[in-house]
Amino acid sequence: MRELAQVMSHSVKGALEALLLVSTDPVPATDFARELGIAPSEAAEALAELSAEYADANRGFQLREVSGGWRLYTHPAYHDEVERYVRAWDTRKLSQAALETLAVIAYHQPVTREGVKAVRGVNSDGVIASLKEKRLIREVGHEADRGGAALFGTTSAFLEKFGLKSLRELPPLEDFAPDEEARQFIRERLSGRSINLSLEETADDLDEEAALLDEYHEGDEPGAFDWVEEDLYGDDDDLY
């Protein structure tokens, strides 16, 4: 044990590497210094030396100082390999419904549950909950109207798992459309105005049908068409 303690006490860089490997966020040099019981200047110097050593050796990873802290990153030269690997890994973990929902949120964020439903055409509450558990999406705020509905956006974990530096690297969704009609549909669906209009139009359609039902109700016995109203409106209040 004496020999091990001696090695550890004289291997600040080794200890820093071990801590860096288990850190998921940038860590300030002062935090490392506190954990190792060394001066902040010593920790900062050792981190800078490690960063230079990795760069000189042209390793597959880099040590960068970002957002007020230090963190290990994959080397940009291997971005394509990492992207293919991460995409393959993540796709195996996600269902088709999850991928569809994640795509809607990624390309239309921030978006509400109702917005996702307007694009997919089905309720996605369960899928959204699953994506939140996987830390691929998170709540980023609330709408000012419609009861303060939660707004969802992607996370840094989403970027990491799909090998993206930023959302600007998302490929244009229109590139996947088979024809111009499909591309136009995508353009409309990706505009916030279109999403809101689709919800409003759906509500308007229901109001119009309700008005027609009222006309049919005239002269009928009470409750004669109640089953029709229930079928039109259901129990889903998301549209209002």
Side-chain angles (χ1 to χ4, degrees):
M1 291 299 293
R2 247 182 235 171
E3 184 179 357
L4 179 60
Q6 184 178 5
V7 171
M8 291 181 65
S9 67
H10 288 84
S11 183
V12 172
K13 290 182 181 179
L16 287 172
E17 287 178 326
L19 294 178
L20 285 165
L21 285 172
V22 296
S23 300
T24 57
D25 298 306
V27 181
T30 52
D31 288 0
F32 284 131
R34 183 171 58 252
E35 290 298 324
L36 299 178
I38 60 178
S41 59
E42 185 179 356
E45 183 179 356
L47 287 164
E49 289 178 1
L50 280 174
S51 179
E53 290 171 9
Y54 296 154
D56 292 342
N58 198 27
R59 303 300 297 268
F61 56 90
Q62 298 178 328
L63 177 57
R64 306 180 199 164
E65 186 176 14
V66 294
S67 301
W70 293 83
R71 186 183 177 189
L72 291 171
Y73 289 87
T74 57
H75 197 293
Y78 303 103
H79 171 76
D80 292 341
E81 289 80 2
V82 172
E83 181 179 25
R84 285 196 299 270
Y85 175 77
V86 174
R87 280 184 175 176
W89 177 86
D90 198 75
T91 301
R92 291 196 301 268
K93 300 280 186 180
L94 298 177
S95 65
Q96 183 64 32
L99 286 171
E100 290 178 3
T101 303
L102 186 58
V104 173
I105 295 174
Y107 281 92
H108 188 61
Q109 59 188 304
V111 61
T112 63
R113 287 185 175 86
E114 291 81 3
V116 174
K117 181 179 179 181
V119 176
R120 295 193 65 226
V122 295
N123 188 296
S124 303
D125 288 356
V127 181
I128 289 175
S130 176
L131 292 173
K132 284 181 65 179
E133 289 180 2
K134 290 181 172 64
R135 296 190 304 161
L136 294 175
I137 64 171
R138 65 186 180 90
E139 289 188 18
V140 296
H142 293 82
E143 280 197 334
D145 55 357
R146 286 209 294 272
L151 291 165
F152 294 94
T154 54
T155 64
S156 58
F158 165 79
L159 296 177
E160 292 175 7
K161 288 185 180 297
F162 284 87
L164 303 173
K165 293 180 182 177
S166 70
L167 292 175
R168 287 189 292 273
E169 289 194 348
L170 283 170
L173 195 55
E174 296 176 27
D175 292 351
F176 300 98
D179 51 46
E180 181 55 36
E181 182 178 355
R183 282 190 285 273
Q184 179 61 31
F185 176 81
I186 290 173
R187 282 193 289 268
E188 291 178 356
R189 286 300 189 182
L190 288 181
S191 68
R193 179 174 175 275
S194 176
I195 295 295
N196 291 332
L197 283 177
S198 67
L199 291 171
E200 293 169 2
E201 289 168 357
T202 302
D204 290 342
D205 289 343
L206 290 175
D207 289 340
E208 290 178 7
E209 296 201 34
L212 290 173
L213 285 172
D214 288 339
E215 294 180 7
Y216 284 119
H217 280 185
E218 294 179 4
D220 291 319
E221 296 180 1
F225 288 89
D226 287 350
W227 64 273
V228 181
E229 289 183 315
E230 291 174 0
D231 186 55
L232 280 173
Y233 289 95
D235 296 324
D236 192 352
D237 296 330
D238 290 346
L239 295 175
Y240 303 97

